[in-house]
Amino acid sequence: MKRIILLVSLCNFSLAMAQSNLNDILAAGLDDAERFTTAWLNPVTEAGVYSISNGWYNTADAKPLGGFEISIVGNLTGFKNKDNKKAFTLNTNDYENLQFEDGSTSKLVSTALGDIQGVGVYVEAEIAPGVTERVDFELPSGLASEDLNFVPSGYIQASVGLIKGTEVKARFLPKINTDDVKIGLFGFGIQHDFTKHLPADKILPVAISAVIGYTNLSGEYDFTDTDVIDGENQRIDAKFSSWNFSAVASTRLPVINFYGGLGYITGKSDTDVLGTYQVQSGPFQTTYEDPFKISNKVSGVVANVGTKLKLGFFRLNADYNIGEFNTFTFGVNFGFR
């Protein structure tokens, strides 16, 4: 249960690495461990980039000078029907030491999003003339095996109107720092409403804007005191960043409005496995220092449609984003304009 709580507290995508049981994976040798972990982890980091990229707007109608809005934004990025992201084909010909217990050379195995369990593998090597050593273990499953089918993210966001048609934005997640977990998020954006330059701005029923937003999330999980593997200062250091470039249109009505956008997301994730790891089982018993770093670049076209309810100072909005990973975004907003 603690592992699952930690997974969610770091937005699932970085702490999912904690499920991979480094003791077993590193027993296959450093190259095999890095190859497997990269394929296993990349889909969840991709979902994480999509998750933090959303929520930059809830209207195309930019605020006037001095107008402001403070929002609490949440995103749920689903992968329940993403079978191609929940599993990958592991071919033992691509690995130096890893073999399937049933003699197969290729089969589907779980990613960090998946639910395939009980896949037995082994590592065997000659450690002395005529003497071999073997270690058997199971490959890790993923979040779906724990009935988690989404990657969440959330933050506080503020928007302020400046010169005609221009609005600046900032988002942040207050730094969380516990004994095991550190996490923080920040971002900044700008929106420009082109219809504000038209003579009929006050009577037009729609607004059209361009939005650019940058988000950065960093997290660290220290598992030195767990029973993963002997060593010191063992931790996962994960960094995610994304840019969102969108064209947005919305209605301009007093109470209920509708909005939609078409955009392009580009981002990357870097996950460092840091610390000292002393592998004491299998034929490749050795000590690794800062074993490896996994990087993943993400890009894709996204589109969304949503609605916003304005009740004076209080507003609610919700939208659905369609892309490589679909995301439901909701916001509670307080503002003046």
Side-chain angles (χ1 to χ4, degrees), residues 237-316:
D237 190 350
K239 295 181 175 63
F240 296 77
S241 61
S242 75
W243 286 93
N244 184 324
F245 305 89
S246 293
V248 188
S250 72
T251 58
R252 300 176 56 182
L253 303 173
V255 180
I256 298 178
N257 283 279
F258 301 92
Y259 61 91
L262 180 65
Y264 180 77
I265 287 174
T266 180
K268 66 176 297 187
S269 64
D270 293 306
T271 305
D272 291 279
V273 181
L274 303 173
T276 302
Y277 301 82
Q278 299 170 358
V279 180
Q280 299 177 349
S281 62
F284 306 107
Q285 297 180 23
T286 187
T287 297
Y288 297 109
E289 186 73 29
D290 298 342
F292 47 81
K293 175 180 181 178
I294 297 171
S295 297
N296 188 20
K297 293 185 178 180
V298 178
S299 61
V301 176
V302 293
N304 77 336
V305 61
T307 185
K308 182 177 183 180
L309 174 65
K310 296 174 62 176
L311 299 172
F313 187 72
F314 179 72
R315 302 102 185 264
L316 292 172

Side-chain angles (χ1 to χ4, degrees), residues 14 27 56 82 97 119 135 155 168 191 224 258 315 320 329:
S14 60
W56 276 112
K82 286 284 183 181
N97 307 301
V119 179
V135 60
Y155 37 80
V168 293
Q191 178 171 349
T224 303
F258 301 92
R315 302 102 185 264
Y320 190 71
T329 299

Side-chain angles (χ1 to χ4, degrees), residues 139-166:
L139 294 177
S141 187
L143 298 176
S145 66
E146 305 284 356
D147 294 326
L148 291 173
N149 291 296
F150 59 88
V151 172
S153 64
Y155 37 80
I156 299 171
Q157 185 162 295
S159 305
V160 180
L162 297 180
I163 60 176
K164 187 173 183 179
T166 299

Side-chain angles (χ1 to χ4, degrees), residues 4-40:
I4 299 304
I5 293 172
L6 290 172
L7 286 171
V8 175
S9 69
L10 240 180
C11 301
N12 291 45
F13 35 86
S14 60
L15 289 187
M17 180 68 185
Q19 287 190 328
S20 65
N21 195 340
L22 287 176
N23 189 30
D24 292 340
I25 299 301
L26 285 172
L30 186 59
D31 290 342
D32 281 7
E34 182 175 358
R35 180 183 293 274
F36 172 81
T37 305
T38 299
W40 183 81

Side-chain angles (χ1 to χ4, degrees), residues 7-335:
L7 286 171
V8 175
S9 69
L10 240 180
C11 301
N12 291 45
F13 35 86
S14 60
L15 289 187
M17 180 68 185
Q19 287 190 328
S20 65
N21 195 340
L22 287 176
N23 189 30
D24 292 340
I25 299 301
L26 285 172
L30 186 59
D31 290 342
D32 281 7
E34 182 175 358
R35 180 183 293 274
F36 172 81
T37 305
T38 299
W40 183 81
L41 191 62
N42 275 351
V44 78
T45 60
E46 183 181 4
V49 170
Y50 273 91
S51 185
I52 65 173
S53 298
N54 292 296
W56 276 112
Y57 54 85
N58 53 41
T59 180
D61 189 13
K63 297 170 182 57
L65 179 64
F68 70 90
E69 187 171 78
I70 298 175
S71 307
I72 301 172
V73 181
N75 298 301
L76 296 176
T77 300
F79 55 85
K80 185 174 183 179
N81 298 318
K82 286 284 183 181
D83 292 340
N84 63 323
K85 300 294 184 179
K86 294 165 69 174
F88 71 97
T89 300
L90 191 157
N91 190 327
T92 56
N93 292 324
D94 297 328
Y95 291 77
E96 296 177 3
N97 307 301
L98 205 61
Q99 301 293 325
F100 288 113
E101 287 184 345
D102 62 5
S104 301
T105 58
S106 178
K107 67 169 59 179
L108 283 177
V109 300
S110 181
T111 70
L113 297 178
D115 57 3
I116 300 175
Q117 303 181 63
V119 179
V121 294
Y122 72 91
V123 175
E124 185 176 48
E126 187 176 42
I127 60 175
V131 180
T132 61
E133 185 167 345
R134 169 170 167 161
V135 60
D136 295 77
F137 57 94
E138 290 186 357
L139 294 177
S141 187
L143 298 176
S145 66
E146 305 284 356
D147 294 326
L148 291 173
N149 291 296
F150 59 88
V151 172
S153 64
Y155 37 80
I156 299 171
Q157 185 162 295
S159 305
V160 180
L162 297 180
I163 60 176
K164 187 173 183 179
T166 299
E167 177 181 318
V168 293
K169 305 169 183 286
R171 58 174 49 169
F172 72 100
L173 177 69
K175 193 73 173 181
I176 298 173
N177 192 341
T178 70
D179 292 339
D180 299 325
V181 176
K182 298 177 183 177
I183 183 174
L185 178 148
F186 69 88
F188 52 84
I190 187 169
Q191 178 171 349
H192 187 75
D193 183 350
F194 297 104
T195 53
K196 289 288 191 290
H197 300 285
L198 300 178
D201 167 56
K202 300 299 182 183
I203 60 174
L204 283 175
V206 296
I208 300 174
S209 288
V211 178
I212 301 174
Y214 169 79
T215 307
N216 180 286
L217 183 145
S218 60
E220 183 178 306
Y221 170 39
D222 188 326
F223 53 91
T224 303
D225 294 332
T226 65
D227 296 327
V228 174
I229 189 172
D230 289 337
E232 297 178 348
N233 200 25
Q234 298 168 345
R235 64 197 188 279
I236 295 168
D237 190 350
K239 295 181 175 63
F240 296 77
S241 61
S242 75
W243 286 93
N244 184 324
F245 305 89
S246 293
V248 188
S250 72
T251 58
R252 300 176 56 182
L253 303 173
V255 180
I256 298 178
N257 283 279
F258 301 92
Y259 61 91
L262 180 65
Y264 180 77
I265 287 174
T266 180
K268 66 176 297 187
S269 64
D270 293 306
T271 305
D272 291 279
V273 181
L274 303 173
T276 302
Y277 301 82
Q278 299 170 358
V279 180
Q280 299 177 349
S281 62
F284 306 107
Q285 297 180 23
T286 187
T287 297
Y288 297 109
E289 186 73 29
D290 298 342
F292 47 81
K293 175 180 181 178
I294 297 171
S295 297
N296 188 20
K297 293 185 178 180
V298 178
S299 61
V301 176
V302 293
N304 77 336
V305 61
T307 185
K308 182 177 183 180
L309 174 65
K310 296 174 62 176
L311 299 172
F313 187 72
F314 179 72
R315 302 102 185 264
L316 292 172
N317 75 280
D319 58 67
Y320 190 71
N321 301 267
I322 300 173
E324 185 64 27
F325 284 89
N326 297 338
T327 302
F328 175 68
T329 299
F330 53 93
V332 179
N333 315 283
F334 307 88

